[in-house]
Amino acid sequence: MFVILLGPPGAGKGTQAKLLAEHLGVPAISTGNLFRQEVASGSELGRRVRSYIDAGQLVSDETTLSILSDRLSKSDAADGAVLDGFPRTVGQATALDRLLAARSRRVDRVLDVAVPENVLLERLTGRWTCPSCHASYHEINATPRRPGICDRCGSGLVQRVDDRAEAIQIRLRNYRERTRPLVDYYGQAGVLTEIDGDLDPKTVTRAMLKATDSAATV
Ligand code: AMP
């Protein structure tokens, strides 16, 4: 099953994508994490995209599609994936449809995670992430057991450069202008479910599982 998590930055897509993917037995694929891995490795691609990511700007559709299609061609994604942060433009969505159609697959369900903007800002400004396993923490709501250390893998936590105030505003604007039209796109395709992302994480996961179960039985 191919599931897309749609929603603004700070909606909790990363955390939920991992949980949902475990339940569905497919990989969680985040284009943001793929890009950050390239930046950390110092690759040519990483050097090219770094300034866009740090500023909160979208990377070009062409580059994003290339990294995503490479990842989707790995054997663990043959039967499905939970996509987090992709697609972010209508161009990316139509390209994904073509990519999946070539494999006789399709987007099975799109979960639109809705969270009020004031909550997003609060979540993003206090966010700390693990550069190794990508677990996410918050300095008030979800503190790690040992300050600054990831509970899951023991790595030192970092604050993302694009979680600074100026970049957050750019990311939210890009979301409204470039990504929000996907709600109509997938609504018309009949695969969209809205999920209230302003509830406790377990309740959000349950709502997502319910929505994907119903897609599996269609
Ligand atoms: P994320 O971790 O999903 O917030 O992504 C971090 C950054 O990676 C974004 O602000 C963009 O610079 C870049 N990025 C991730 N996914 C995409 C995408 N689908 N299209 C364009 N840029 C992306």
Side-chain angles (χ1 to χ4, degrees), residues 70-153:
D70 279 357
R71 179 62 188 87
L72 276 184
S73 66
K74 299 219 165 104
S75 59
D76 64 339
D79 287 330
V82 175
L83 300 181
D84 155 20
F86 182 94
R88 264 176 156 101
T89 65
V90 173
Q92 291 178 14
T94 52
L96 176 64
D97 283 347
R98 281 197 298 274
L99 202 81
L100 292 180
R103 295 161 58 171
S104 304
R105 308 303 295 255
R106 61 180 176 136
V107 172
D108 295 290
R109 182 77 11 203
V110 178
L111 306 174
D112 177 29
V113 192
V115 175
E117 197 152 315
N118 62 321
V119 178
L120 295 175
L121 288 173
E122 194 186 287
R123 285 187 186 177
L124 289 168
T125 47
R127 181 160 79 169
W128 288 79
T129 49
C130 174
S132 305
C133 75
H134 310 299
S136 186
Y137 299 86
H138 189 277
E139 56 197 31
I140 298 164
N141 311 327
T143 52
R145 280 193 292 275
R146 282 183 296 159
I149 305 291
C150 179
D151 290 349
R152 280 172 50 177
C153 73

Side-chain angles (χ1 to χ4, degrees), residues 205-216:
T205 312
R206 269 199 297 276
M208 289 186 167
L209 283 170
K210 203 168 150 217
T212 50
D213 268 1
S214 65

Side-chain angles (χ1 to χ4, degrees), residues 10-22:
K13 299 190 298 296
T15 306
Q16 292 297 336
K18 276 194 224 90
L19 295 168
L20 193 59
E22 270 166 35

Side-chain angles (χ1 to χ4, degrees), residues 32-43 45-47 49-50 53 131-132 134:
N33 283 342
L34 293 175
F35 282 137
R36 279 186 289 275
Q37 275 156 16
E38 292 293 330
V39 171
S41 77
S43 71
L45 171 62
R47 282 198 296 277
V49 299
R50 182 180 190 150
I53 295 174
S132 305
H134 310 299

Side-chain angles (χ1 to χ4, degrees), residues 31-32 35-36 52-53 56-59 64 85-86 88 92 160 162 171:
T31 39
F35 282 137
R36 279 186 289 275
Y52 290 91
I53 295 174
Q57 297 289 6
L58 293 185
V59 175
T64 306
F86 182 94
R88 264 176 156 101
Q92 291 178 14
R160 282 170 47 170
D162 60 345
R171 288 161 69 204

